[in-house]
Amino acid sequence: MPKEDDLTESLRTAERRLQAAQLASDVATLAELIDDAGRFTGPDGNLYSKQDDLRAHESGVQRLTRLVEEELHALATGHTGITWLLGALEGSFGGRPLDARVRYTRTWVRDGNGWKVVAAHATFVTTVA
């Protein structure tokens, strides 16, 4: 069994691979990193499947032109991990411009092939004056 520090670092690596795949709309890598049963709560409150996410990237409905990691926390224990990402995003979604700070919370599972996202939640972060 790998040490907890090694698991946490491998989880951070998987999270950063996911971010890079989102930015590039790399559907093959996204398919590898998202579990087939994966479900996601979007910032709009709707529930999406892995296939919904892949189609959005493949079709161009979702396009990121910038993704800046501002903060990343990771917790890995055994075969389960959680990442908390705060990032700045630019691009478009459904033809509308997107320029926002977003907090993602992702739940990952680890098997012999590495880490995969099984659940995620995204919310827009607003600055309170």
Side-chain angles (χ1 to χ4, degrees):
M1 176 74 119
K3 294 187 323 189
E4 195 169 308
D5 288 347
D6 294 340
L7 287 175
T8 299
E9 198 50 43
S10 71
L11 179 57
R12 276 191 190 94
T13 299
E15 170 64 42
R16 288 182 174 132
R17 278 188 70 215
L18 183 71
Q19 292 174 40
Q22 289 174 318
L23 184 58
S25 284
D26 179 348
V27 175
T29 300
L30 290 170
E32 175 189 329
L33 291 171
I34 301 170
D35 191 85
D36 288 344
R39 296 288 183 267
F40 312 95
T41 304
D44 59 3
N46 289 320
L47 190 61
Y48 298 96
S49 69
K50 173 182 179 173
Q51 290 308 315
D52 294 331
D53 190 55
L54 297 179
R55 271 193 300 275
H57 281 280
E58 208 167 41
S59 68
V61 166
Q62 179 175 321
R63 283 275 182 242
L64 292 179
T65 56
R66 182 173 170 259
L67 189 162
V68 176
E69 177 186 302
E70 296 178 12
E71 192 179 282
L72 176 61
H73 301 279
L75 171 67
T77 58
H79 297 287
T80 305
I82 314 253
T83 55
W84 297 269
L85 168 71
L86 176 62
L89 305 179
E90 289 180 15
S92 62
F93 189 83
R96 293 191 185 129
L98 171 67
D99 184 359
R101 289 178 76 216
V102 179
R103 169 76 71 185
Y104 289 97
T105 302
R106 300 190 233 268
T107 303
W108 300 74
V109 291
R110 185 175 61 86
D111 63 17
N113 297 315
W115 292 103
K116 291 186 178 219
V117 177
V118 293
H121 183 270
T123 189
F124 290 123
V125 176
T126 57
T127 305
V128 178

